[in-house]
Amino acid sequence: MDVFEAIGNGGHEQVLFARDEASGLRAIIAVHSTVLGPALGGTRFHAYATEADAIADALRLSGAMTRKNAAAGLDFGGGKGVIMGDPRAIKSERLLRAYGRAVESLGGAFITAEDVGTTLADMETIARETAFVGGTGRDAGGCGDPSPATARGLVAAMRGTARHLWRSPELEGRHAVVLGTGKVGGELCRLLAAEGARLTIADVDAEVVEGLAAELGAEVVAPAEAHAVDCDFLAPCALGGALNAATVPELRCAAVVGSANNQLADDALADALAERGVLYVPDFIVNAGGVINIAEAVGRPYRAERAERRVDGIEGIVLELLERARAEGVTPLAGAIARARGRIDAIGGLHARAPRRRAGV
Ligand code: NAD
């Protein structure tokens, strides 16, 4: 891999490689953009097969955060941290603190939080070396685990979608299929059940899915069949790539509204979905509740009610996006990318001469 070419192609501002011999830390922090504010993004701890895979992931994920944060109207740019290795094997206090020093060395250009493989407790360890951490616990002045806020944002996105499709935000009686019932999907199921929605659920973890089905009176379907169930909402809440060349022709939902990042195996599938009459509401719009919640804890005391109000604002963002895309004859994905781009162009010029830095978090 030609690293400098990859950074240039992605339009990244800078990439930091950090290493601590004693703890085995090998980390990459990709700062994609600070045009709208400090680059905000999680830290992923994962056993990548190769160094090139880890670099590619950091570059791709940091670019996606720029889109997500801009489209959500946040005053943050996009970045992502990646720690290489199996967290169960090598995670230690020293490693996390060494990573914290790397975050600190960027002087506020990058602010981090939880992602796959990192927890709230890890953020608190990182916070011993740097103030530039957003996802710490409530008692440490942070916003806590972002998953409930992400699930709340999904419900808001479903309401916005329902208003667009059926002229009512009501979810009672709507049929939702939730693929992946982990932290976000499980909470989404509970929120939808409380709204009186009908639920069909699927997860590779049979114990989790059976327990939730018994709790909520949901139907269970095999993960490989979930996408083909006739329903109002399909909510992919497991891994990326749920919408691919094999599954898209079999979809029988009115809309896709899910938390998983990178649901489309290929962006060109947005056109195939539109041709099939399936409304795909872009993942980075729908799953922004977690980062909106984290942003509320950065640079000011966290207030749960204010954060919830902002997360609920996803309903209006989705409705506006879908109505505008329909009026302009473009896919919601194209509309969402244009929305992010438009905000960066409109607000970014303000900071062109003196990039924003926060003194601390
Ligand atoms: P999680 O690990 O708690 O839950 C994922 C669930 O999916 C698990 O129960 C797992 O058993 C299940 N699963 C894995 N592979 C599956 C498959 N092939 N078929 C069916 N089920 C499968 O993760 P989470 O925090 O709930 O996140 C879910 C998705 O949402 C991820 O893609 C994540 O990147 C994205 N996301 C999460 C947040 C957040 O706040 N946690 C925010 C934005 C995006």
Side-chain angles (χ1 to χ4, degrees):
M1 169 184 223
D2 184 330
V3 178
F4 286 99
E5 194 180 314
I7 294 169
N9 289 343
H12 291 74
E13 289 179 11
Q14 61 175 323
V15 180
L16 174 79
F17 292 83
R19 178 176 180 143
D20 176 56
E21 203 68 44
S23 62
L25 174 77
R26 285 186 301 153
I28 301 151
I29 298 174
V31 176
H32 179 254
S33 171
T34 57
V35 171
L36 290 180
L40 177 62
T43 293
R44 182 163 293 192
F45 202 147
H46 180 71
Y48 291 92
T50 67
E51 234 171 66
D53 287 353
I55 296 168
D57 214 27
L59 296 180
R60 185 178 56 85
L61 291 167
S62 57
M65 287 309 298
T66 300
R67 265 188 194 176
K68 187 187 294 197
N69 294 341
L74 301 176
D75 292 333
F76 289 97
K80 198 85 181 183
V82 154
I83 301 176
M84 297 173 64
D86 179 351
R88 285 163 304 183
I90 66 163
K91 195 187 276 180
S92 67
E93 181 186 341
R94 170 151 179 146
L95 181 145
L96 291 169
R97 290 180 72 157
Y99 179 73
R101 293 184 78 86
V103 173
E104 177 68 14
S105 76
L106 287 166
F110 174 63
I111 297 172
T112 200
E114 296 92 339
D115 195 68
V116 177
T118 54
T119 64
L120 195 132
D122 298 341
M123 292 307 126
E124 288 174 2
T125 304
I126 292 168
R128 292 173 76 165
E129 299 296 335
T130 180
F132 303 113
V133 181
T136 51
R138 293 267 170 105
D139 52 359
C143 63
D145 175 9
S147 307
T150 303
R152 187 180 177 105
L154 286 183
V155 173
M158 285 181 179
R159 286 193 202 286
T161 306
R163 283 168 68 190
H164 173 74
L165 285 176
W166 307 301
R167 295 286 140 210
S168 161
E170 269 305 316
L171 299 178
E172 188 176 0
R174 292 282 166 213
H175 181 194
V177 176
V178 180
L179 173 62
T181 54
K183 293 191 295 292
V184 178
E187 175 67 9
L188 172 67
C189 289
R190 291 190 180 91
L191 294 175
L192 288 175
E195 294 292 325
R198 180 182 154 204
L199 286 170
T200 300
I201 61 178
D203 197 294
V204 286
D205 186 332
E207 207 174 305
V208 166
V209 85
E210 292 296 344
L212 197 65
E215 178 191 330
L216 303 176
E219 281 173 56
V220 176
V221 69
E225 289 161 21
H227 68 277
V229 175
D230 192 351
C231 62
D232 296 307
F233 296 108
L234 172 65
C237 296
L239 305 176
L243 304 177
N244 53 51
T247 57
V248 166
E250 295 177 355
L251 296 183
R252 287 194 293 153
C253 55
V256 179
V257 180
S259 76
N261 284 311
N262 304 316
Q263 286 165 39
L264 296 179
D266 176 345
D267 276 4
L269 285 165
D271 296 317
L273 284 158
E275 278 160 26
R276 250 194 96 67
V278 172
L279 188 64
Y280 168 67
V281 191
D283 45 17
F284 66 90
I285 299 286
V286 165
N287 68 16
V291 79
I292 291 172
N293 191 49
I294 289 167
E296 284 295 320
V298 175
R300 56 180 172 177
Y302 178 74
R303 299 265 180 275
E305 279 166 28
R306 190 181 57 204
E308 285 174 0
R309 254 199 329 275
R310 288 208 71 179
V311 171
D312 291 344
I314 291 177
E315 175 179 336
I317 292 175
V318 165
L319 180 63
E320 187 192 306
L321 173 76
L322 297 179
E323 302 276 306
R324 181 182 260 210
R326 178 154 65 191
E328 293 177 355
V330 299
T331 64
L333 178 64
I337 293 170
R339 180 187 168 91
R341 189 72 259 159
R343 187 166 168 81
I344 290 167
D345 290 346
I347 309 296
L350 268 176
H351 310 136
R353 283 192 208 130
R356 288 181 69 165
R357 288 279 193 274
R358 292 250 162 93
V361 179

